[in-house]
Amino acid sequence: MTYVSRIEAPADELERLLFYMPILAERATNTWAQGFATSIVKQSRRRNWCPSQKQLPMMRRLVAEMFAYGNEDEECPVIE
């Protein structure tokens, strides 16, 4: 059995990232991102699960990309 070292992410950050994983699994534009997000959702159900050194940065990147691009077709409503 291979030992995989884990990165300890702050609990609130991990909770936030896991909150968006099901949304990413539904809305991802490529199959790899969909599969990754689905896999993370399944793995996170395990007791004492925490992401690996490779998973955590990828989770951060995918969630960040989700918010990086707004809906450019519509104008933002101005609140006066």
Side-chain angles (χ1 to χ4, degrees):
M1 182 162 149
T2 306
Y3 174 75
V4 178
S5 62
R6 304 287 178 187
I7 298 175
E8 289 297 323
D12 58 335
E13 179 190 18
L14 188 57
E15 185 177 343
R16 181 182 61 87
L17 292 171
L18 290 173
F19 176 81
Y20 290 112
M21 284 296 120
I23 298 167
L24 282 167
E26 292 176 9
R27 298 182 186 172
T29 56
N30 62 39
T31 56
W32 184 88
Q34 284 178 330
F36 178 80
T38 302
S39 173
I40 292 296
V41 169
K42 289 178 184 177
Q43 290 177 39
S44 68
R45 293 181 185 138
R46 296 179 190 158
R47 186 184 313 177
N48 297 327
W49 176 85
C50 61
S52 70
Q53 290 179 341
K54 292 182 179 182
Q55 289 172 331
L56 184 60
M58 185 56 63
M59 290 168 65
R60 288 175 177 151
R61 192 182 113 210
L62 289 173
V63 171
E65 286 178 359
M66 189 168 94
F67 294 105
Y69 306 105
N71 191 355
E72 298 170 1
D73 297 335
E74 297 179 16
E75 291 185 23
C76 295
V78 178
I79 300 174
E80 295 182 19

